[in-house]
Short mmCIF file of all heavy atoms in Angstrom, two decimals:
data_model
loop_
_atom_site.label_atom_id
_atom_site.label_comp_id
_atom_site.label_asym_id
_atom_site.label_seq_id
_atom_site.Cartn_x
_atom_site.Cartn_y
_atom_site.Cartn_z
N MET A 167 -4.72 -5.96 3.68
CA MET A 167 -5.25 -7.03 4.44
C MET A 167 -5.61 -6.48 5.79
O MET A 167 -4.84 -5.98 6.53
CB MET A 167 -4.07 -8.08 4.55
CG MET A 167 -4.57 -9.41 4.98
SD MET A 167 -3.23 -10.66 4.93
CE MET A 167 -2.96 -10.93 3.29
N LYS A 168 -6.92 -6.59 6.15
CA LYS A 168 -7.37 -6.06 7.45
C LYS A 168 -6.79 -6.73 8.57
O LYS A 168 -5.99 -6.27 9.26
CB LYS A 168 -8.87 -6.20 7.43
CG LYS A 168 -9.61 -5.03 6.99
CD LYS A 168 -11.09 -5.22 7.28
CE LYS A 168 -11.83 -4.11 6.71
NZ LYS A 168 -13.30 -4.30 6.99
N ASP A 169 -7.18 -8.05 8.73
CA ASP A 169 -6.70 -8.71 9.81
C ASP A 169 -5.70 -9.72 9.40
O ASP A 169 -5.84 -10.46 8.37
CB ASP A 169 -7.84 -9.64 10.56
CG ASP A 169 -8.88 -8.69 11.03
OD1 ASP A 169 -8.59 -7.60 11.68
OD2 ASP A 169 -10.12 -9.01 10.82
N SER A 170 -4.46 -9.70 10.09
CA SER A 170 -3.47 -10.80 9.78
C SER A 170 -3.85 -12.14 10.41
O SER A 170 -4.10 -12.07 11.61
CB SER A 170 -2.11 -10.21 10.14
OG SER A 170 -2.06 -10.18 11.53
N ILE A 171 -3.80 -13.19 9.67
CA ILE A 171 -4.01 -14.47 10.14
C ILE A 171 -2.79 -15.28 9.86
O ILE A 171 -2.40 -15.45 8.65
CB ILE A 171 -5.28 -15.06 9.54
CG1 ILE A 171 -6.52 -14.25 9.80
CG2 ILE A 171 -5.51 -16.47 9.99
CD1 ILE A 171 -7.77 -14.68 9.05
N LYS A 172 -2.18 -15.77 10.98
CA LYS A 172 -0.98 -16.56 10.71
C LYS A 172 -1.26 -17.79 9.95
O LYS A 172 -2.19 -18.44 10.13
CB LYS A 172 -0.45 -16.93 12.02
CG LYS A 172 0.96 -17.62 12.05
CD LYS A 172 1.69 -17.75 13.34
CE LYS A 172 3.05 -18.46 13.13
NZ LYS A 172 3.97 -17.85 14.12
N ARG A 173 -0.37 -17.98 8.91
CA ARG A 173 -0.52 -19.14 8.06
C ARG A 173 0.18 -20.29 8.74
O ARG A 173 1.31 -20.67 8.41
CB ARG A 173 0.08 -18.86 6.67
CG ARG A 173 -0.74 -17.73 6.02
CD ARG A 173 -0.15 -17.41 4.63
NE ARG A 173 -1.06 -16.51 3.85
CZ ARG A 173 -0.74 -15.15 3.75
NH1 ARG A 173 0.22 -14.62 4.24
NH2 ARG A 173 -1.60 -14.49 3.05
N VAL A 174 -0.36 -20.95 9.57
CA VAL A 174 0.16 -22.16 10.44
C VAL A 174 0.60 -23.29 9.53
O VAL A 174 1.58 -23.89 9.78
CB VAL A 174 -0.88 -22.66 11.41
CG1 VAL A 174 -0.30 -23.75 12.26
CG2 VAL A 174 -1.24 -21.55 12.43
N TYR A 175 -0.27 -23.55 8.46
CA TYR A 175 0.22 -24.58 7.53
C TYR A 175 1.45 -24.31 6.92
O TYR A 175 2.25 -25.24 6.63
CB TYR A 175 -0.85 -24.87 6.43
CG TYR A 175 -1.09 -23.68 5.61
CD1 TYR A 175 -0.45 -23.44 4.38
CD2 TYR A 175 -2.03 -22.73 5.98
CE1 TYR A 175 -0.68 -22.39 3.61
CE2 TYR A 175 -2.29 -21.56 5.17
CZ TYR A 175 -1.63 -21.50 4.08
OH TYR A 175 -1.75 -20.29 3.24
N LEU A 176 1.75 -23.08 6.60
CA LEU A 176 3.08 -22.79 5.96
C LEU A 176 4.18 -23.03 6.95
O LEU A 176 5.18 -23.54 6.52
CB LEU A 176 3.00 -21.28 5.54
CG LEU A 176 4.05 -20.83 4.55
CD1 LEU A 176 4.22 -21.67 3.32
CD2 LEU A 176 3.73 -19.39 4.15
N VAL A 177 3.97 -22.59 8.16
CA VAL A 177 4.97 -22.81 9.23
C VAL A 177 5.30 -24.28 9.46
O VAL A 177 6.49 -24.76 9.47
CB VAL A 177 4.61 -22.19 10.58
CG1 VAL A 177 5.63 -22.51 11.69
CG2 VAL A 177 4.45 -20.69 10.46
N GLN A 178 4.28 -25.07 9.43
CA GLN A 178 4.41 -26.54 9.63
C GLN A 178 5.24 -27.10 8.40
O GLN A 178 6.03 -28.03 8.68
CB GLN A 178 2.94 -27.14 9.70
CG GLN A 178 2.27 -26.91 10.94
CD GLN A 178 0.73 -27.35 11.06
OE1 GLN A 178 0.22 -27.52 10.03
NE2 GLN A 178 0.34 -27.55 12.20
N LYS A 179 4.83 -26.79 7.16
CA LYS A 179 5.49 -27.25 6.08
C LYS A 179 6.95 -26.91 6.07
O LYS A 179 7.80 -27.78 5.72
CB LYS A 179 4.81 -26.75 4.66
CG LYS A 179 3.39 -27.20 4.38
CD LYS A 179 3.50 -28.56 3.88
CE LYS A 179 2.12 -29.03 3.38
NZ LYS A 179 2.20 -30.44 2.82
N ARG A 180 7.20 -25.71 6.30
CA ARG A 180 8.73 -25.27 6.48
C ARG A 180 9.40 -26.07 7.53
O ARG A 180 10.53 -26.49 7.24
CB ARG A 180 8.83 -23.72 6.76
CG ARG A 180 10.15 -23.24 6.88
CD ARG A 180 10.29 -21.76 7.11
NE ARG A 180 9.54 -21.27 8.22
CZ ARG A 180 9.79 -21.42 9.53
NH1 ARG A 180 10.96 -22.03 9.89
NH2 ARG A 180 9.09 -20.96 10.54
N LYS A 181 8.79 -26.20 8.67
CA LYS A 181 9.36 -27.07 9.72
C LYS A 181 9.55 -28.58 9.32
O LYS A 181 10.62 -29.14 9.64
CB LYS A 181 8.72 -26.81 11.06
CG LYS A 181 8.97 -25.46 11.65
CD LYS A 181 8.31 -25.22 12.97
CE LYS A 181 8.59 -23.78 13.44
NZ LYS A 181 8.03 -23.56 14.81
N GLU A 182 8.63 -29.10 8.62
CA GLU A 182 8.79 -30.47 8.21
C GLU A 182 9.95 -30.58 7.37
O GLU A 182 10.55 -31.73 7.27
CB GLU A 182 7.48 -30.87 7.38
CG GLU A 182 6.19 -31.13 8.18
CD GLU A 182 5.03 -31.29 7.37
OE1 GLU A 182 5.15 -31.67 6.15
OE2 GLU A 182 3.94 -31.36 7.95
N MET A 183 10.26 -29.57 6.54
CA MET A 183 11.49 -29.65 5.56
C MET A 183 12.74 -29.26 6.23
O MET A 183 13.83 -29.18 5.70
CB MET A 183 11.03 -28.76 4.38
CG MET A 183 9.98 -29.26 3.59
SD MET A 183 9.71 -28.32 2.00
CE MET A 183 11.22 -28.79 1.06
N LYS A 184 12.59 -28.95 7.54
CA LYS A 184 13.82 -28.64 8.48
C LYS A 184 14.50 -27.31 7.90
O LYS A 184 15.63 -27.30 7.83
CB LYS A 184 14.66 -29.74 8.69
CG LYS A 184 14.11 -30.89 9.33
CD LYS A 184 15.00 -32.02 9.56
CE LYS A 184 14.56 -33.22 10.24
NZ LYS A 184 13.31 -33.57 10.48
N LEU A 185 13.61 -26.27 7.57
CA LEU A 185 14.22 -25.12 6.94
C LEU A 185 13.91 -23.97 7.98
O LEU A 185 12.80 -23.94 8.61
CB LEU A 185 13.52 -24.75 5.62
CG LEU A 185 13.91 -25.64 4.42
CD1 LEU A 185 13.01 -25.21 3.23
CD2 LEU A 185 15.35 -25.60 4.11
N SER A 186 14.82 -23.05 8.04
CA SER A 186 14.53 -21.81 8.84
C SER A 186 13.87 -20.87 7.90
O SER A 186 13.84 -21.01 6.71
CB SER A 186 15.79 -21.16 9.40
OG SER A 186 16.70 -20.82 8.27
N GLN A 187 13.45 -19.81 8.54
CA GLN A 187 12.80 -18.75 7.67
C GLN A 187 13.87 -18.13 6.63
O GLN A 187 13.57 -17.84 5.52
CB GLN A 187 12.16 -17.61 8.41
CG GLN A 187 10.90 -17.94 9.13
CD GLN A 187 10.26 -16.73 9.89
OE1 GLN A 187 10.99 -15.76 10.21
NE2 GLN A 187 8.98 -16.83 10.16
N GLU A 188 15.07 -18.11 7.16
CA GLU A 188 16.19 -17.41 6.40
C GLU A 188 16.41 -18.34 5.20
O GLU A 188 16.62 -17.99 4.11
CB GLU A 188 17.34 -17.30 7.28
CG GLU A 188 18.51 -16.75 6.54
CD GLU A 188 18.43 -15.15 6.19
OE1 GLU A 188 17.83 -14.47 7.05
OE2 GLU A 188 18.87 -14.74 5.12
N GLU A 189 16.42 -19.70 5.46
CA GLU A 189 16.75 -20.72 4.40
C GLU A 189 15.63 -20.71 3.28
O GLU A 189 15.91 -20.77 2.12
CB GLU A 189 17.01 -22.09 4.96
CG GLU A 189 18.28 -22.18 5.76
CD GLU A 189 18.34 -23.38 6.57
OE1 GLU A 189 17.33 -23.88 7.09
OE2 GLU A 189 19.38 -23.85 6.87
N ALA A 190 14.44 -20.73 3.94
CA ALA A 190 13.31 -20.62 2.93
C ALA A 190 13.24 -19.47 2.05
O ALA A 190 12.99 -19.65 0.86
CB ALA A 190 11.90 -20.75 3.70
N ALA A 191 13.44 -18.27 2.64
CA ALA A 191 13.48 -16.99 1.94
C ALA A 191 14.70 -17.10 0.84
O ALA A 191 14.50 -16.66 -0.30
CB ALA A 191 13.80 -15.85 2.84
N LEU A 192 15.85 -17.58 1.27
CA LEU A 192 16.94 -17.68 0.30
C LEU A 192 16.53 -18.56 -0.90
O LEU A 192 16.79 -18.19 -2.07
CB LEU A 192 18.14 -18.25 1.00
CG LEU A 192 19.49 -18.13 0.36
CD1 LEU A 192 19.90 -16.86 0.06
CD2 LEU A 192 20.51 -18.98 1.04
N ILE A 193 15.95 -19.69 -0.75
CA ILE A 193 15.41 -20.57 -1.84
C ILE A 193 14.43 -19.86 -2.77
O ILE A 193 14.44 -19.95 -3.88
CB ILE A 193 14.77 -21.81 -1.19
CG1 ILE A 193 15.84 -22.69 -0.53
CG2 ILE A 193 13.97 -22.68 -2.28
CD1 ILE A 193 15.29 -23.88 0.35
N LEU A 194 13.53 -19.01 -2.08
CA LEU A 194 12.53 -18.35 -2.79
C LEU A 194 13.00 -17.04 -3.41
O LEU A 194 12.26 -16.52 -4.22
CB LEU A 194 11.38 -18.01 -1.91
CG LEU A 194 10.74 -19.36 -1.31
CD1 LEU A 194 9.72 -19.01 -0.21
CD2 LEU A 194 9.88 -20.00 -2.51
N GLY A 195 14.16 -16.53 -3.03
CA GLY A 195 14.69 -15.38 -3.63
C GLY A 195 14.04 -14.05 -3.03
O GLY A 195 13.90 -13.07 -3.77
N ILE A 196 13.58 -14.22 -1.79
CA ILE A 196 13.06 -13.05 -1.09
C ILE A 196 13.87 -12.83 0.27
O ILE A 196 14.67 -13.68 0.70
CB ILE A 196 11.53 -13.15 -0.91
CG1 ILE A 196 11.36 -14.46 -0.01
CG2 ILE A 196 10.80 -13.20 -2.22
CD1 ILE A 196 9.75 -14.70 0.33
N THR A 197 13.51 -11.76 0.92
CA THR A 197 14.23 -11.41 2.18
C THR A 197 13.57 -12.27 3.40
O THR A 197 12.31 -12.62 3.12
CB THR A 197 14.10 -9.96 2.61
OG1 THR A 197 12.67 -9.65 2.71
CG2 THR A 197 14.73 -9.09 1.49
N ARG A 198 14.19 -12.54 4.36
CA ARG A 198 13.66 -13.26 5.50
C ARG A 198 12.41 -12.40 6.05
O ARG A 198 11.39 -12.95 6.49
CB ARG A 198 14.67 -13.46 6.58
CG ARG A 198 14.07 -14.39 7.68
CD ARG A 198 14.65 -14.22 9.04
NE ARG A 198 14.83 -12.87 9.55
CZ ARG A 198 13.69 -12.15 10.04
NH1 ARG A 198 12.59 -12.71 10.21
NH2 ARG A 198 13.97 -10.97 10.39
N GLN A 199 12.59 -11.19 6.06
CA GLN A 199 11.57 -10.21 6.62
C GLN A 199 10.30 -10.33 5.84
O GLN A 199 9.15 -10.51 6.38
CB GLN A 199 11.99 -8.82 6.70
CG GLN A 199 13.10 -8.57 7.66
CD GLN A 199 14.47 -8.90 7.08
OE1 GLN A 199 14.74 -9.31 5.96
NE2 GLN A 199 15.57 -8.59 7.88
N TYR A 200 10.39 -10.37 4.43
CA TYR A 200 9.18 -10.58 3.63
C TYR A 200 8.64 -11.88 3.87
O TYR A 200 7.40 -12.02 3.97
CB TYR A 200 9.55 -10.38 2.16
CG TYR A 200 8.33 -10.27 1.28
CD1 TYR A 200 7.36 -9.61 1.59
CD2 TYR A 200 8.38 -10.99 0.11
CE1 TYR A 200 6.10 -9.55 0.63
CE2 TYR A 200 7.36 -10.99 -0.85
CZ TYR A 200 6.12 -10.27 -0.43
OH TYR A 200 5.05 -10.29 -1.36
N TYR A 201 9.37 -12.99 3.92
CA TYR A 201 8.82 -14.26 4.09
C TYR A 201 8.11 -14.55 5.44
O TYR A 201 7.13 -15.03 5.62
CB TYR A 201 10.00 -15.40 4.04
CG TYR A 201 9.46 -16.73 4.23
CD1 TYR A 201 8.80 -17.45 3.23
CD2 TYR A 201 9.53 -17.34 5.43
CE1 TYR A 201 8.20 -18.51 3.46
CE2 TYR A 201 8.91 -18.58 5.69
CZ TYR A 201 8.23 -19.20 4.71
OH TYR A 201 7.71 -20.34 4.87
N SER A 202 8.73 -13.83 6.48
CA SER A 202 8.14 -13.88 7.81
C SER A 202 6.78 -13.16 7.75
O SER A 202 5.80 -13.65 8.35
CB SER A 202 9.07 -13.12 8.78
OG SER A 202 8.42 -12.97 10.09
N SER A 203 6.58 -12.08 7.06
CA SER A 203 5.44 -11.44 6.87
C SER A 203 4.33 -12.19 6.11
O SER A 203 3.14 -12.13 6.52
CB SER A 203 5.69 -10.05 6.18
OG SER A 203 6.38 -9.15 6.90
N ILE A 204 4.73 -13.04 5.24
CA ILE A 204 3.83 -13.87 4.53
C ILE A 204 3.30 -14.92 5.55
O ILE A 204 2.23 -15.19 5.64
CB ILE A 204 4.48 -14.46 3.33
CG1 ILE A 204 4.82 -13.53 2.12
CG2 ILE A 204 3.61 -15.59 2.68
CD1 ILE A 204 5.69 -13.97 1.12
N GLU A 205 4.30 -15.61 6.26
CA GLU A 205 3.85 -16.58 7.27
C GLU A 205 2.95 -16.05 8.28
O GLU A 205 2.03 -16.72 8.71
CB GLU A 205 5.22 -17.19 7.91
CG GLU A 205 5.67 -18.40 7.43
CD GLU A 205 6.77 -19.02 8.26
OE1 GLU A 205 6.97 -18.61 9.44
OE2 GLU A 205 7.35 -19.98 7.71
N ASN A 206 3.25 -14.80 8.79
CA ASN A 206 2.43 -14.26 9.80
C ASN A 206 1.22 -13.49 9.39
O ASN A 206 0.38 -13.06 10.07
CB ASN A 206 3.36 -13.24 10.60
CG ASN A 206 4.22 -13.99 11.45
OD1 ASN A 206 3.97 -14.92 12.14
ND2 ASN A 206 5.53 -13.68 11.24
N GLY A 207 0.91 -13.61 8.10
CA GLY A 207 -0.33 -13.10 7.49
C GLY A 207 -0.29 -11.55 7.26
O GLY A 207 -1.38 -11.00 6.98
N ARG A 208 0.82 -10.88 7.41
CA ARG A 208 0.89 -9.49 7.27
C ARG A 208 0.99 -9.08 5.86
O ARG A 208 0.70 -7.89 5.42
CB ARG A 208 2.04 -8.94 8.13
CG ARG A 208 1.78 -8.99 9.57
CD ARG A 208 2.83 -8.26 10.40
NE ARG A 208 4.16 -8.72 10.13
CZ ARG A 208 4.89 -9.68 10.74
NH1 ARG A 208 4.35 -10.27 11.58
NH2 ARG A 208 6.20 -9.93 10.39
N LYS A 209 1.51 -9.91 5.07
CA LYS A 209 1.70 -9.73 3.55
C LYS A 209 1.05 -10.82 2.82
O LYS A 209 0.98 -11.98 3.19
CB LYS A 209 3.16 -9.65 3.20
CG LYS A 209 3.93 -8.44 3.85
CD LYS A 209 3.62 -7.16 3.15
CE LYS A 209 4.57 -6.11 3.70
NZ LYS A 209 4.27 -4.82 3.24
N ARG A 210 0.61 -10.50 1.61
CA ARG A 210 0.04 -11.34 0.68
C ARG A 210 1.02 -11.49 -0.44
O ARG A 210 1.21 -10.46 -1.16
CB ARG A 210 -1.40 -10.93 0.23
CG ARG A 210 -2.01 -12.07 -0.72
CD ARG A 210 -3.33 -11.63 -1.11
NE ARG A 210 -4.23 -11.32 0.09
CZ ARG A 210 -5.28 -10.57 0.09
NH1 ARG A 210 -5.75 -10.00 -1.11
NH2 ARG A 210 -5.95 -10.30 1.17
N PRO A 211 1.45 -12.64 -0.85
CA PRO A 211 2.47 -12.78 -2.10
C PRO A 211 1.60 -12.71 -3.38
O PRO A 211 0.46 -12.83 -3.37
CB PRO A 211 2.95 -14.22 -1.86
CG PRO A 211 1.84 -14.98 -1.15
CD PRO A 211 1.19 -13.93 -0.24
N SER A 212 2.38 -12.36 -4.38
CA SER A 212 1.86 -12.26 -5.67
C SER A 212 1.47 -13.67 -6.05
O SER A 212 1.96 -14.64 -5.50
CB SER A 212 2.90 -11.84 -6.67
OG SER A 212 3.92 -12.68 -6.81
N SER A 213 0.61 -13.94 -7.05
CA SER A 213 0.30 -15.30 -7.41
C SER A 213 1.61 -16.03 -7.90
O SER A 213 1.61 -17.20 -7.73
CB SER A 213 -0.76 -15.23 -8.55
OG SER A 213 -0.33 -14.48 -9.70
N HIS A 214 2.49 -15.36 -8.54
CA HIS A 214 3.74 -16.05 -8.98
C HIS A 214 4.49 -16.53 -7.80
O HIS A 214 4.91 -17.68 -7.72
CB HIS A 214 4.58 -15.03 -9.79
CG HIS A 214 5.85 -15.60 -10.19
ND1 HIS A 214 6.15 -16.45 -11.13
CD2 HIS A 214 7.13 -15.35 -9.62
CE1 HIS A 214 7.33 -16.85 -11.27
NE2 HIS A 214 8.06 -16.11 -10.33
N LEU A 215 4.62 -15.68 -6.72
CA LEU A 215 5.35 -16.10 -5.62
C LEU A 215 4.59 -17.19 -4.79
O LEU A 215 5.26 -18.02 -4.27
CB LEU A 215 5.75 -14.96 -4.67
CG LEU A 215 6.48 -15.21 -3.42
CD1 LEU A 215 7.81 -16.04 -3.67
CD2 LEU A 215 6.79 -13.91 -2.63
N ALA A 216 3.25 -17.02 -4.77
CA ALA A 216 2.52 -18.06 -4.14
C ALA A 216 2.72 -19.40 -4.68
O ALA A 216 2.88 -20.44 -4.03
CB ALA A 216 1.08 -17.69 -4.04
N LYS A 217 2.63 -19.50 -6.07
CA LYS A 217 2.97 -20.77 -6.71
C LYS A 217 4.44 -21.30 -6.45
O LYS A 217 4.55 -22.44 -6.30
CB LYS A 217 2.75 -20.62 -8.15
CG LYS A 217 1.39 -20.48 -8.60
CD LYS A 217 1.19 -20.08 -10.09
CE LYS A 217 -0.19 -19.82 -10.51
NZ LYS A 217 -0.40 -19.50 -11.91
N LYS A 218 5.37 -20.33 -6.35
CA LYS A 218 6.77 -20.78 -6.04
C LYS A 218 6.88 -21.38 -4.62
O LYS A 218 7.51 -22.27 -4.41
CB LYS A 218 7.65 -19.53 -6.23
CG LYS A 218 9.15 -19.81 -6.31
CD LYS A 218 9.81 -18.52 -6.71
CE LYS A 218 11.38 -18.71 -6.89
NZ LYS A 218 12.04 -17.50 -7.24
N ILE A 219 6.21 -20.70 -3.67
CA ILE A 219 6.21 -21.12 -2.34
C ILE A 219 5.54 -22.58 -2.28
O ILE A 219 6.10 -23.45 -1.68
CB ILE A 219 5.45 -20.18 -1.42
CG1 ILE A 219 6.29 -18.82 -1.29
CG2 ILE A 219 5.21 -20.77 0.03
CD1 ILE A 219 5.43 -17.76 -0.61
N ALA A 220 4.40 -22.60 -2.87
CA ALA A 220 3.61 -23.94 -2.94
C ALA A 220 4.46 -25.07 -3.48
O ALA A 220 4.46 -26.18 -3.06
CB ALA A 220 2.33 -23.82 -3.59
N ASN A 221 5.21 -24.77 -4.57
CA ASN A 221 6.09 -25.83 -5.17
C ASN A 221 7.10 -26.13 -4.26
O ASN A 221 7.53 -27.36 -4.13
CB ASN A 221 6.66 -25.29 -6.52
CG ASN A 221 5.64 -25.24 -7.67
OD1 ASN A 221 4.65 -26.10 -7.61
ND2 ASN A 221 5.82 -24.38 -8.67
N CYS A 222 7.79 -25.14 -3.62
CA CYS A 222 8.91 -25.51 -2.73
C CYS A 222 8.47 -26.31 -1.54
O CYS A 222 9.19 -27.17 -1.08
CB CYS A 222 9.42 -24.07 -2.15
SG CYS A 222 10.69 -24.18 -0.93
N PHE A 223 7.22 -26.02 -0.96
CA PHE A 223 6.73 -26.82 0.19
C PHE A 223 5.80 -27.86 -0.18
O PHE A 223 5.10 -28.60 0.69
CB PHE A 223 6.16 -25.86 1.17
CG PHE A 223 7.07 -24.93 1.73
CD1 PHE A 223 6.86 -23.51 1.72
CD2 PHE A 223 8.26 -25.37 2.33
CE1 PHE A 223 7.82 -22.63 2.24
CE2 PHE A 223 9.27 -24.50 2.87
CZ PHE A 223 8.98 -23.09 2.88
N ARG A 224 5.73 -28.24 -1.45
CA ARG A 224 4.89 -29.37 -1.94
C ARG A 224 3.48 -29.44 -1.65
O ARG A 224 2.82 -30.35 -1.09
CB ARG A 224 5.55 -30.69 -1.49
CG ARG A 224 7.06 -30.71 -1.91
CD ARG A 224 7.76 -32.13 -1.52
NE ARG A 224 9.10 -32.19 -1.95
CZ ARG A 224 10.12 -32.23 -0.96
NH1 ARG A 224 9.92 -32.35 0.26
NH2 ARG A 224 11.31 -32.10 -1.46
N PHE A 225 2.86 -28.22 -1.92
CA PHE A 225 1.45 -28.17 -1.77
C PHE A 225 0.88 -27.43 -3.12
O PHE A 225 0.08 -26.62 -3.02
CB PHE A 225 0.76 -27.67 -0.47
CG PHE A 225 1.10 -26.24 -0.18
CD1 PHE A 225 0.25 -25.27 -0.37
CD2 PHE A 225 2.42 -26.04 0.51
CE1 PHE A 225 0.63 -23.93 -0.02
CE2 PHE A 225 2.76 -24.62 0.81
CZ PHE A 225 1.81 -23.59 0.54
N GLU A 226 1.43 -27.88 -4.16
CA GLU A 226 1.22 -27.16 -5.50
C GLU A 226 -0.27 -26.94 -5.83
O GLU A 226 -0.62 -25.98 -6.42
CB GLU A 226 1.77 -27.92 -6.63
CG GLU A 226 3.34 -28.10 -6.58
CD GLU A 226 3.76 -29.30 -5.87
OE1 GLU A 226 3.03 -30.05 -5.15
OE2 GLU A 226 5.00 -29.58 -5.96
N ASN A 227 -1.17 -27.94 -5.51
CA ASN A 227 -2.53 -27.86 -5.70
C ASN A 227 -3.40 -26.96 -4.98
O ASN A 227 -4.54 -26.73 -5.13
CB ASN A 227 -3.18 -29.30 -5.93
CG ASN A 227 -2.55 -30.25 -6.89
OD1 ASN A 227 -2.12 -29.84 -7.90
ND2 ASN A 227 -2.56 -31.49 -6.53
N GLU A 228 -2.62 -26.37 -3.95
CA GLU A 228 -3.38 -25.50 -3.00
C GLU A 228 -2.62 -24.22 -2.90
O GLU A 228 -2.74 -23.48 -1.88
CB GLU A 228 -3.51 -26.15 -1.63
CG GLU A 228 -4.30 -27.39 -1.69
CD GLU A 228 -4.51 -28.15 -0.38
OE1 GLU A 228 -3.71 -27.72 0.53
OE2 GLU A 228 -5.23 -29.04 -0.19
N TRP A 229 -1.94 -23.77 -3.86
CA TRP A 229 -1.15 -22.57 -3.86
C TRP A 229 -2.02 -21.35 -3.70
O TRP A 229 -1.66 -20.44 -2.99
CB TRP A 229 -0.40 -22.30 -5.15
CG TRP A 229 -1.23 -22.18 -6.32
CD1 TRP A 229 -1.65 -23.15 -7.16
CD2 TRP A 229 -1.79 -20.94 -6.88
NE1 TRP A 229 -2.51 -22.68 -8.14
CE2 TRP A 229 -2.49 -21.32 -7.96
CE3 TRP A 229 -1.65 -19.48 -6.51
CZ2 TRP A 229 -3.19 -20.21 -8.73
CZ3 TRP A 229 -2.30 -18.57 -7.25
CH2 TRP A 229 -3.13 -18.91 -8.33
N TYR A 230 -3.24 -21.35 -4.04
CA TYR A 230 -4.18 -20.33 -3.94
C TYR A 230 -4.51 -19.86 -2.49
O TYR A 230 -4.94 -18.80 -2.16
CB TYR A 230 -5.57 -20.58 -4.70
CG TYR A 230 -6.22 -21.82 -4.13
CD1 TYR A 230 -7.07 -21.75 -2.99
CD2 TYR A 230 -5.87 -23.05 -4.68
CE1 TYR A 230 -7.54 -22.84 -2.46
CE2 TYR A 230 -6.47 -24.27 -4.17
CZ TYR A 230 -7.28 -24.09 -3.02
OH TYR A 230 -7.82 -25.24 -2.55
N LYS A 231 -4.32 -20.89 -1.53
CA LYS A 231 -4.44 -20.64 -0.10
C LYS A 231 -3.69 -19.43 0.40
O LYS A 231 -4.18 -18.73 1.27
CB LYS A 231 -4.25 -21.83 0.75
CG LYS A 231 -5.16 -22.91 0.58
CD LYS A 231 -4.74 -24.27 1.27
CE LYS A 231 -4.76 -24.13 2.73
NZ LYS A 231 -4.36 -25.39 3.36
N LEU A 232 -2.52 -19.17 -0.23
CA LEU A 232 -1.63 -18.08 0.05
C LEU A 232 -2.13 -16.83 -0.27
O LEU A 232 -1.72 -15.76 0.18
CB LEU A 232 -0.26 -18.37 -0.53
CG LEU A 232 0.61 -19.50 0.12
CD1 LEU A 232 1.75 -19.80 -0.90
CD2 LEU A 232 0.99 -19.07 1.45
N LEU A 233 -3.14 -16.73 -1.09
CA LEU A 233 -3.77 -15.54 -1.60
C LEU A 233 -4.88 -15.02 -0.71
O LEU A 233 -5.46 -13.93 -0.82
CB LEU A 233 -4.27 -15.56 -3.01
CG LEU A 233 -3.02 -15.93 -4.06
CD1 LEU A 233 -3.66 -16.07 -5.43
CD2 LEU A 233 -1.99 -14.88 -3.98
N GLU A 234 -5.35 -15.96 0.24
CA GLU A 234 -6.44 -15.57 1.15
C GLU A 234 -5.95 -14.67 2.16
O GLU A 234 -4.84 -14.63 2.62
CB GLU A 234 -7.05 -16.88 1.83
CG GLU A 234 -7.53 -17.75 0.74
CD GLU A 234 -7.94 -19.21 1.25
OE1 GLU A 234 -7.66 -19.48 2.44
OE2 GLU A 234 -8.70 -19.75 0.55
#
């Protein structure tokens, strides 16, 4: 990934659910560091993990946004 673009919508969804990065990571079965990297646009999740994140934060129909 050339330029990292913070995924603001992901931060907003997590905060709406009143979850810390640590709690979100625990639910998703990944480390907090990896989750933080996804939120900050430094890492791109696999399609499987993207769907899992989208289901967790209730934007199932737009899971593909995490692959951008």
Side-chain angles (χ1 to χ4, degrees):
M167 198 177 290
K168 266 187 180 175
D169 300 317
S170 63
I171 299 171
K172 187 166 182 147
R173 294 178 173 106
V174 177
Y175 62 90
L176 192 54
V177 175
Q178 290 171 337
K179 291 284 191 181
R180 177 177 55 78
K181 288 184 176 183
E182 283 174 15
M183 295 183 72
K184 298 183 177 15
L185 293 173
S186 67
Q187 286 185 339
E188 184 72 35
E189 292 166 325
L192 193 63
I193 291 167
L194 296 166
I196 59 176
T197 66
R198 187 208 51 82
Q199 292 84 355
Y200 186 50
Y201 180 80
S202 176
S203 291
I204 293 170
E205 262 191 13
N206 288 304
R208 291 188 304 267
K209 297 280 186 185
R210 184 181 301 158
S212 66
S213 58
H214 175 76
L215 181 56
K217 289 175 185 178
K218 196 171 179 180
I219 293 169
N221 285 334
C222 179
F223 295 126
R224 300 183 185 118
F225 62 99
E226 298 90 349
N227 296 328
E228 297 177 349
W229 64 270
Y230 58 88
K231 290 171 68 176
L232 289 164
L233 302 179
E234 297 173 345

